[in-house]
Amino acid sequence: MVAFPRSDLFTLCNVASCSFWPMMRQEMSRSANGRTQGKDLGDPLWEGAFTTAPMPIAQAGEIEMALLSLHGVVHSFEAHDVRRPFPLAHQDGNFDDVSLIHDFGTDHKSLRLSGLPQGFTLSIGDYLAFDYGAEPNRALHRVTTPAVAGAGGITPLFEVFPHILPGAAVGASVTLKRASCIMQLKPGLQPPVAAGMINQTLTFSGTQLIL
């Protein structure tokens, strides 16, 4: 049986191009006197678009059927920013991915991690993910201010984007390797594009799913 969210899409293909960016749910209006006002309508959602490297048509069936198994928007999959799969200071991925949330700041946008090797560095733009809430949901954040783990394996408080949502808990396991969110495919999955009936590419895109 296929389990959802699917976690294998990015092992079934090589991604040659990728966009990964938050969709800001906002609106802007102007009053009668010309004053511009902006309003948040909700927390941002991550969006991703991915195009595979050319692959032999004979070997493309697995990724094709993995995408079709999602039945469009019905089922979900794990997605990460393939441009930044590991923390910048540890790009070889050679570390134990066993950190935990130690505590949170009072500003709803900062936290500390524990369980890291002394000197482990989180750089601006690194990703981290953790599950939260009863469903559960998957939170995906980018590091806004850098942090280095001290002798006890605990980082100082550092800021992340977006803000931390209610339900995030102290002690939750944190993923730093290929930190992902849960996405649904956007409607209108594009069919494979074959070149010379030898190689083909696939393009798919998704939006973060919050239950």
Side-chain angles (χ1 to χ4, degrees):
M1 297 292 291
V2 177
F4 300 100
R6 289 199 71 137
S7 60
D8 59 348
L9 293 192
F10 296 95
T11 62
L12 296 175
C13 65
N14 292 319
V15 175
S17 64
C18 161
S19 67
F20 205 92
W21 200 249
M23 175 181 68
M24 308 301 289
R25 295 189 288 169
Q26 299 174 331
E27 68 177 17
M28 182 181 290
S29 61
R30 289 185 173 84
S31 62
N33 64 4
R35 180 181 178 183
T36 301
Q37 297 175 317
K39 182 178 180 181
D40 269 319
L41 302 178
D43 296 294
L45 299 174
W46 292 102
E47 291 192 317
F50 312 93
T51 299
T52 68
M55 69 189 89
I57 291 176
Q59 299 176 15
E62 281 192 86
I63 182 63
E64 289 180 13
M65 294 316 301
L67 290 168
L68 289 174
S69 76
L70 299 174
H71 289 273
V73 302
V74 174
H75 296 301
S76 59
F77 63 99
E78 294 183 0
H80 67 277
D81 188 344
V82 298
R83 304 170 305 157
R84 196 90 173 241
F86 306 117
L88 188 62
H90 308 276
Q91 295 187 67
D92 59 2
N94 186 22
F95 60 91
D96 292 330
D97 202 7
V98 294
S99 60
L100 305 172
I101 296 175
H102 185 74
D103 58 14
F104 298 101
T106 58
D107 55 8
H108 305 293
K109 61 178 181 179
S110 60
L111 72 166
R112 292 195 294 170
L113 301 185
S114 61
L116 294 167
Q118 182 179 359
F120 192 94
T121 300
L122 293 171
S123 304
I124 295 173
D126 288 347
Y127 286 91
L128 61 91
F130 55 86
D131 290 342
Y132 70 98
E135 295 296 346
N137 283 304
R138 178 79 52 80
L140 179 64
H141 297 276
R142 294 193 80 173
V143 175
T144 304
T145 57
V148 179
I154 301 174
T155 68
L157 281 172
F158 62 93
E159 291 187 10
V160 295
F161 172 91
H163 280 67
I164 299 165
L165 295 176
V170 169
S173 298
V174 175
T175 299
L176 299 173
K177 293 183 179 183
R178 300 182 182 89
S180 67
C181 64
I182 308 302
M183 286 189 172
Q184 288 174 304
L185 284 177
K186 288 187 176 181
L189 177 64
Q190 299 180 34
V193 177
M197 299 303 294
I198 299 174
N199 294 319
Q200 72 175 44
T201 59
L202 276 163
T203 297
F204 59 99
S205 57
T207 302
Q208 184 178 10
L209 172 65
I210 302 294
L211 299 175

